[in-house]
Amino acid sequence: QVQLVESGGGLVQAGESLRLSCTASGVFFSINTMGWYRQAPGKQRELVATISGGGSVNYEDSVKGRFTISRDGAKNTLYLQMNSLKPEDTAVYYCNANARVARPFSISEVMYWGQGTQVTVSS
């Protein structure tokens, strides 16, 4: 069982920056890939960025060069530094984690989601 709590969203003007944080807690053996997804009104949830347990990162094309995903393993915390924000970045941002957790007689990798944090970028 893993709980993910996001923070750091807010209302900013275009060109400004925000840093999102996501802290994982609960009972698990390890957290592997973590990521940020976002969902704008009327759209499906889409990938923003991911970071593997080994540190490999992946970004959606529209955020490359502007957003930076990172993680602090000791704190079980994921970050998303968002610079040069654009109105089209407006969405609810969700933290995602794939964690190895205990199951009866086994250990399984399970996907968890945070509650989301609103990012609104005005023009």
Side-chain angles (χ1 to χ4, degrees):
Q1 180 68 49
V2 176
Q3 295 81 234
L4 303 174
V5 180
E6 304 101 328
S7 63
L11 174 63
V12 298
Q13 296 182 26
E16 295 183 336
S17 299
L18 284 172
R19 189 179 77 156
L20 305 183
S21 298
C22 170
T23 298
S25 62
V27 180
F28 51 87
F29 290 94
S30 64
I31 296 177
N32 300 319
T33 299
M34 299 186 75
W36 290 99
Y37 291 72
R38 64 187 180 188
Q39 187 167 22
K43 294 187 176 181
Q44 294 184 326
R45 192 171 299 184
E46 67 174 358
L47 172 71
V48 177
T50 60
I51 182 167
S52 73
S56 297
V57 299
N58 180 52
Y59 296 97
E60 194 274 327
D61 287 343
S62 69
V63 308
K64 288 180 179 178
R66 299 189 297 121
F67 291 9
T68 302
I69 189 171
S70 61
R71 66 193 295 175
D72 184 331
K75 298 180 180 179
N76 292 317
T77 299
L78 177 73
Y79 302 97
L80 184 68
Q81 179 66 46
M82 304 185 293
N83 298 325
S84 301
L85 283 162
K86 303 175 180 180
E88 49 263 46
D89 295 318
T90 296
V92 177
Y93 284 70
Y94 296 90
C95 177
N96 170 269
N98 288 319
R100 290 195 173 273
V101 299
R103 290 288 185 267
F105 307 104
S106 68
I107 298 173
S108 299
E109 186 171 282
V110 179
M111 180 178 290
Y112 295 91
W113 294 93
Q115 82 288 350
T117 185
Q118 178 71 48
V119 172
T120 302
V121 184
S122 65
S123 59

